[in-house]
Amino acid sequence: MKKDAEKLSQVELDELRGALEAEKDSVEEELAAHGRVQGETGDWQGRSTSEGEESDPSDVADNIEELATNVPLVEELEKRHTDIVDALEKMDNGTYGMCETCEEQIPPDRLEANAAARTCIAHAS
Ligand SMILES: [Zn+2]
């Protein structure tokens, strides 16, 4: 945080936080729809589509097959989810909007386009 003058205003921060929280909810819904649930460790895990325990081996097999089909999408969603959660954590500890590579302020218009952006434009991968 070298350039205080370019820091986001509280209003902008609140708007971005609202956008992040809304996206987090929709990503979590998507993940749940694809058979993923968040475990106690914070990792996303496969979920049996059957109620209760995974007692029926054929149900488990179906579920594994379904997960395999959805893996690229689910991985993308998980990655997005991690970005969003990290961005929200940064808002809480006051480092939000800082490039993770060079520690310069990320331009506000970039954050408006992608509130979970981790880097400035120069360091976007
Ligand atoms: Zn940078």
Side-chain angles (χ1 to χ4, degrees), residues 20-32:
L20 283 166
E21 284 174 346
E23 191 178 357
K24 181 169 173 277
D25 283 349
S26 73
V27 170
E28 284 175 357
E29 268 176 37
E30 278 282 298
L31 281 164

Side-chain angles (χ1 to χ4, degrees), residues 7-27:
K7 278 182 72 177
L8 293 159
S9 69
Q10 191 58 48
V11 172
E12 286 169 320
L13 273 175
D14 286 348
E15 279 175 10
L16 289 164
R17 181 189 287 273
L20 283 166
E21 284 174 346
E23 191 178 357
K24 181 169 173 277
D25 283 349
S26 73
V27 170

Side-chain angles (χ1 to χ4, degrees), residues 32-97:
H34 291 287
R36 292 274 176 144
V37 289
Q38 196 161 23
E40 285 172 18
T41 58
D43 291 332
W44 293 89
Q45 301 163 342
R47 182 186 60 182
S48 172
T49 46
S50 60
E51 291 280 310
E53 296 105 77
E54 299 177 9
S55 49
D56 186 336
S58 68
D59 279 357
V60 175
D62 283 352
N63 193 38
I64 289 166
E65 203 169 295
E66 190 186 310
L67 281 176
T69 312
N70 288 326
V71 160
L73 172 63
V74 167
E75 279 179 355
E76 200 55 42
L77 287 167
E78 283 178 353
K79 191 170 166 291
R80 186 69 191 156
H81 187 264
T82 304
D83 287 347
I84 294 166
V85 169
D86 285 355
L88 287 166
E89 274 176 12
K90 287 182 202 166
M91 281 188 175
D92 290 338
N93 63 31
T95 59
Y96 178 76

